[in-house]
């Protein structure tokens, strides 16, 4: 009898085990690695974590514990939690090195279901949480799927103004003497693609710009050095479109076009089919502070990149994505990261700025069946709020240690609650510094701001 009961219990448990695939994305340096490291760390401490009052299952004492188990997709690189936590616990602590490719990790969370159907059937249940990390830059490639090589070249030509044009000088000079109708020269195309890629990197690193296409060129992952990442848009060429349309099969033009088409079919589509289509919940991390610091060009560019990135969640009824796969994401959280860079009184502004940034794109698109929310958070809190006396007035401030070890008490400035206009950029007093993470003990969960709120939105209903 007992063994029958045990069997039934085992069967019930198995049928009630749940899986959630949570994807974490954001443009590079948005804070993905820090967020995932903190999220895992908070959950590994979840049985007794005092830092999670906003995550109901932990607050209610229903989470019995979490542990790492083998991930389900064995061919995807594992997210290196140990390395990340090792740098955060070092003396002095340092930030984990960012991941530059897709990676994955699986947690098994044991919990006591709330009163209700699950509770009647069993006392404890298991949630398997797959956390997938992928670069937000890859989402910038979606529009390529509906553009021919010529259309893409025209589009790229249209954005080559101002700072971008300056940064592209070296590559544009080479394009000038490039003959698309000449016999295909693989070596030359490789060299020119390297110049084009260097321009894309310069956009990000020197120009503080975010919108780069093709996204894989700056974060190639496993395709680094492959011919599929060696092409470039054909800009200002001396031939008309009809001449190019009749270009011989073995020409430079044909090779560029073939590589572009291959990129769309295999790399872009491949990502959506293999990774994106399997996601249940998504968090998009946005560093709104870096572009506020960098100026209007960087800010507007990030806005454009965000709008582009959001198109990937716009399934509609007959959209391109729906034709590619059956999407299943039902909740997206947009998070303004590094909230500990500004004083707590500025956190509401950070959220409303993020809401403004995505509002228009969200309103005008058909995001059917997806629930969306915005939050501000610090995955790993590196500063503490304090007070300073300035000319007889007490002001809120931040206290922390700069990366060079210097202690610092400062007021970084006000975050605009709306999209910044001319006047903000003119008397912009905003300044933030890179702080080093705070020293923590091995047994102590990492300090954070509102990671528990993010978890409540993303997983709260899965742990009922
Ligand atoms: P990724 O490229 O998206 O994986 O970004 P990372 O997680 O590597 O973060 C980039 C950098 O942002 C880190 O090295 C830190 O300097 C900073 N950072 C990330 N998260 C936080 C945070 O919560 N607080 C603070 N103060 N800095 C952060």
């Amino acid at each position: 009898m007992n063994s029958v009961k045990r069997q039934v219990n085992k069967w019930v448990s198995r049928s009630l085990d749940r899986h959630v695939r949570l994807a974490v994305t954001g443009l590079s340096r948005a804070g993905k690695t820090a967020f995932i490291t903190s999220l895992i760390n908070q959950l590994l401490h979840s049985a007794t974590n005092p830092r999670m009052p906003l995550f109901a299952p932990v607050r209610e004492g229903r989470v019995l514990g979490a542990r790492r188990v083998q991930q389900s997709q064995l061919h995807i690189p594992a997210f290196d939690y140990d390395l990340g936590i090792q740098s955060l616990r070092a003396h002095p602590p340092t930030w984990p090195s960012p991941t530059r490719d897709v990676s994955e990790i699986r947690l098994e969370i044991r919990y006591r279901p709330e009163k209700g159907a699950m509770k009647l059937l069993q006392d404890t249940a298991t949630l398997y949480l797959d956390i997938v990390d992928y670069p937000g830059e890859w989402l910038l490639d979606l529009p390529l799927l509906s553009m021919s090589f010529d259309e893409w070249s025209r589009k790229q030509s249209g954005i080559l103004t101002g700072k971008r044009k300056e940064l592209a000088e070296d590559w544009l000079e080479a394009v000038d003497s490039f003959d698309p109708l000449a016999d295909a020269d693989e070596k030359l195309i490789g060299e020119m693609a390297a110049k084009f890629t260097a321009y894309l990197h310069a956009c990000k690193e020197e120009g503080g710009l975010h919108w780069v296409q093709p996204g894989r060129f700056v974060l190639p992952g496993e395709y680094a050095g492959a011919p599929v990442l060696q092409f470039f848009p054909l800009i200002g060429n001396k031939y008309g479109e009809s001449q190019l349309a009749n270009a011989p099969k073995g020409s430079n033009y044909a090779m560029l076009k073939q590589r572009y088409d291959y990129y769309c079919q295999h790399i872009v589509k491949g990502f959506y089919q293999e990774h994106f289509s399997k996601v249940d919940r998504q968090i998009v991390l946005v560093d709104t502070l870096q572009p506020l610091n960098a100026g209007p060009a960087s800010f507007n560019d990030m806005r454009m990149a965000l709008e582009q990135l959001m198109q990937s969640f716009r399934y509609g009824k007959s959209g391109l994505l729906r034709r590619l796969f059956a999407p299943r994401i039902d909740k997206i959280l947009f998070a303004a990261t590094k909230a500990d860079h500004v004083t707590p009184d500025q956190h509401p502004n950070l959220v409303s700025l993020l809401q403004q940034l995505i509002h228009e794109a969200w309103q005008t698109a058909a995001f059917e069946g997806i629930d969306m929310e915005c939050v501000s958070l610090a995955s790993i809190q590196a500063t503490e709020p304090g007070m300073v006396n300035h000319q007889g007035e007490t002001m809120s401030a931040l206290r922390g240690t700069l990366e060079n070890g210097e202690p610092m008490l400062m007021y970084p400035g006000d975050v605009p609650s709306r999209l910044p206009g001319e006047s903000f950029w003119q008397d912009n007093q905003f300044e933030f510094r890179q702080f080093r993470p705070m020293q923590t003990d091995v047994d102590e969960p990492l300090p954070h701001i509102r990671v528990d709120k993010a978890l409540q939105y993303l997983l709260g209903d899965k742990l009922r």
Side-chain angles (χ1 to χ4, degrees), residues 101 238 338 414 427:
D101 199 347
K238 49 186 180 261
K338 313 182 193 178
D414 294 349
D427 22 85

Side-chain angles (χ1 to χ4, degrees), residues 27-34 95 98 338 340-341 378-380 382 434:
L27 300 167
S28 26
R29 298 199 63 80
K32 298 180 289 297
T33 313
W95 292 99
K338 313 182 193 178
D340 60 325
H341 274 309
S379 308
I380 300 166
Q434 295 293 351

